[in-house]
Each structure stands twice: as structure tokens, then as C-alpha cells.
Amino acid sequence: EIACGVTETRSKAQRIMAFPVLPPYTKCDLSIQDRFAQLDQGGKVMAEYIWVGGKGELRCKTKTLDAPPKSVDDLPIWNFDGSSTEQAPGEDSEVLLKPCAIYKDPFRPGSPNILVLCDCYKPDPDGPRGLGAPIPTNTRVYANQIMDKVASHEPWFGIEQEYTLFEPDKKTPYGWPKDGEPGPQGPYYCSIGTENAFGRAVVEAHYKACLYAGINLSGINGEVMPGQWEYQVGPCTGIASGDQLLASRYLLIRVCEQYGVVVSFDPKPIPGDWNGAGC
């Protein structure tokens, strides 16, 4: 193959040395996946259950439903192996997923497929719907209790989410020279142009995915450090603010997965005189 000016006259070994390959070594062709995405589902619904894992990471698994749910209360409780996510011991590893919010799935369009944001509970056969106490990483349940107490005030929230795009090595910010640094900060904030704006394709895809899903994304912009971007979620009322923020992060990670780049929400991804990324 010819890439980045490498000609066929160079040996395979030379090409590998010049452009080290990071796993996965075989890239999946998304155009092939798209052929199958157009197939009829026979009235079934693919529901992607999403939750926060033991270290704050997002996890997901898909459940087939016989029909679209009319509300989040129609969705079944599901489960997962909490010992694999550092949320339960191996000898008692079942954790239950309780659906909390529904969004349209931009990765499976054309059918009423959905994303289902969940929080996590211990099982209890005597509890409502078999649910026991919330597990320690389920902080949403306590936030929701507060939101319910002040619901009559209709609290509004808007959240800025800054993030940094990286190459698959997780060390090189997208658009930066390998083992080097770009020019000083200044021209990158709210910028345009190949020399300033790195990763706009990811940003635009994420923007459209969020709007399709039903997330109230109110805007985007390039940030101060090259390879760094920002979007804003809101205004949202009550617990919907946190729910939509988590769903928007999930969508961003999935978009980056398709583009072969990595997103970091680290507040200080690069040491030194480089802009941080907050929320």
C-alpha cells in the first residue's frame, strides 16, 4: 500500500520501521459493516445498555427487545459480571442494570434501536424488581434523590466538556509531531485551517450523533491546546444534565473508535505550559 508518500520501491521492512503499526493490526472496513447495518431486523430492537464501570470508565452490552419500549419503565432489568469490571467480588459477581434514560442509537440507524443509560444495584430477590442496594460506584442514585427534592424549582444546568484527541499510542496528541511539540498556543482556539484545527471530522461526527440521539448539545469549539476541543451540554433540567453528559461521552468514545483515535478527558493530559481540559 502507498501511504503518506511512502512508495512501493521501499521494502516492507523499511515501511514498518518508518511507520510503526500499533494494534489492532488488521483494520476493520466500516463500509462492509454498513452493508449489514441496512438489513431488516424483523421488528426487533437492539438496546445498548450503558453503565459506569469500577474505575469511572463506560461499559456497554446489547440486548434484543421484541418491541420498542414506550418509556424507560418498560425496559427490563439486566445484569453483568461485576468481577470483570471491579464492581463485585468473584464469588458473588452479579450486578443488576436498572435503565434510567433512553436515547436514539446513531450507530444503528434505520430501526428504532436505542441507547439505554443505566445505574447499578446489588441483586435482592425480595426487593422491587429484584433490585437491592446501589453498589458503591452508583453515585447517580444519590444525585437523583437531591434532584427529586428540588424538582419544583426546575434547576437548570449547563456543562462544558473539554477533551483531547490522541493517536492510538495514547501519548501523541492528534496533530502533534511524533516525539515533539507543535508551535506555541495562540492560533488553535476556535481556529480553522489544516495547520490549526486537528480532528474536526471527529468533532462534527460527534455533534451530529448527539443531536440525533436527542442530547441537548448546545455548541462546540476548538480549544487552546492543539488537538483539544470542547462541547456544551444543556441547558438540562435536574438529573438529565448528568445523564446527557455521560451519554455524550459514550458517543464521543464510540465515534473516536470508528476514526481510530483515542479521546482523553484527563484534566491535564500534557505537562508543562499546555492548556488543561476541564468539565
Side-chain angles (χ1 to χ4, degrees), residues 163 165 202 251-263:
Y163 62 92
L165 298 177
V202 172
L251 292 175
L252 180 55
I253 295 168
R254 286 286 309 276
V255 168
C256 287
E257 177 185 319
Q258 296 208 357
Y259 277 100
V261 297
V262 176
V263 60

Side-chain angles (χ1 to χ4, degrees), residues 3 6 46 66 89 93 155 166 189 204 215 224 265 275 279:
V6 179
M46 302 164 76
D66 291 329
S93 64
F166 279 81
Y189 175 70
E204 293 289 337
I215 293 170
V224 175
F265 300 108
N275 198 54
C279 176

Side-chain angles (χ1 to χ4, degrees), residues 12-279:
K12 181 178 180 181
Q14 287 176 317
R15 293 200 299 273
I16 291 174
M17 289 178 64
F19 299 95
V21 179
L22 297 167
Y25 303 106
T26 301
K27 301 298 182 182
C28 294
D29 188 340
L30 297 181
S31 66
I32 297 175
Q33 174 190 318
D34 190 56
R35 300 176 199 167
F36 296 95
Q38 308 306 316
L39 296 176
D40 183 74
Q41 296 178 193
K44 302 288 187 179
V45 175
M46 302 164 76
E48 188 83 356
Y49 280 47
I50 304 164
W51 71 97
V52 179
K55 292 185 176 180
E57 79 285 5
L58 292 174
R59 304 269 183 162
C60 64
K61 58 188 295 191
T62 309
K63 187 176 187 66
T64 302
L65 307 177
D66 291 329
K70 295 180 180 179
S71 73
V72 71
D73 294 328
D74 293 336
L75 288 165
I77 302 295
W78 206 10
N79 64 350
F80 68 92
D81 171 21
S83 67
S84 297
T85 62
E86 300 189 22
Q87 291 173 287
E91 65 274 10
D92 186 16
S93 64
E94 184 179 30
V95 178
L96 300 184
L97 292 168
K98 178 179 181 281
C100 299
I102 301 174
Y103 307 97
K104 293 168 61 179
D105 189 344
F107 303 106
R108 295 165 172 158
S111 297
N113 300 314
I114 54 175
L115 305 175
V116 182
L117 190 67
C118 305
D119 55 6
C120 303
Y121 294 80
K122 296 178 180 179
D124 181 354
D126 298 323
R129 303 183 71 186
L131 296 171
I135 66 173
T137 55
N138 180 2
T139 57
R140 181 191 184 278
V141 65
Y142 304 110
N144 196 36
Q145 290 172 2
I146 296 172
M147 296 303 176
D148 285 343
K149 290 179 181 179
V150 298
S152 62
H153 297 282
E154 296 187 27
W156 281 22
F157 298 92
I159 302 178
E160 291 185 354
Q161 176 66 74
E162 298 173 339
Y163 62 92
T164 309
L165 298 177
F166 279 81
E167 296 287 353
D169 62 8
K170 299 183 181 180
K171 297 178 181 179
T172 309
Y174 193 75
W176 286 41
K178 191 75 173 179
D179 298 322
E181 293 187 348
Q185 296 176 152
Y188 311 110
Y189 175 70
C190 296
S191 66
I192 61 172
T194 303
E195 73 281 14
N196 294 322
F198 308 124
R200 189 183 297 276
V202 172
V203 177
E204 293 289 337
H206 175 245
Y207 199 166
K208 293 293 284 285
C210 284
L211 295 180
Y212 176 89
I215 293 170
N216 191 20
L217 211 69
S218 55
I220 60 170
N221 60 268
E223 261 301 336
V224 175
M225 189 178 83
Q228 191 180 75
W229 296 81
E230 175 193 307
Y231 63 89
Q232 302 89 37
V233 175
C236 299
T237 304
I239 198 65
S241 179
D243 288 349
Q244 291 197 23
L245 177 65
L246 282 178
S248 72
R249 289 179 179 177
Y250 170 84
L251 292 175
L252 180 55
I253 295 168
R254 286 286 309 276
V255 168
C256 287
E257 177 185 319
Q258 296 208 357
Y259 277 100
V261 297
V262 176
V263 60
S264 170
F265 300 108
D266 191 310
K268 184 63 175 175
I270 301 296
D273 191 23
W274 294 103
N275 198 54
C279 176

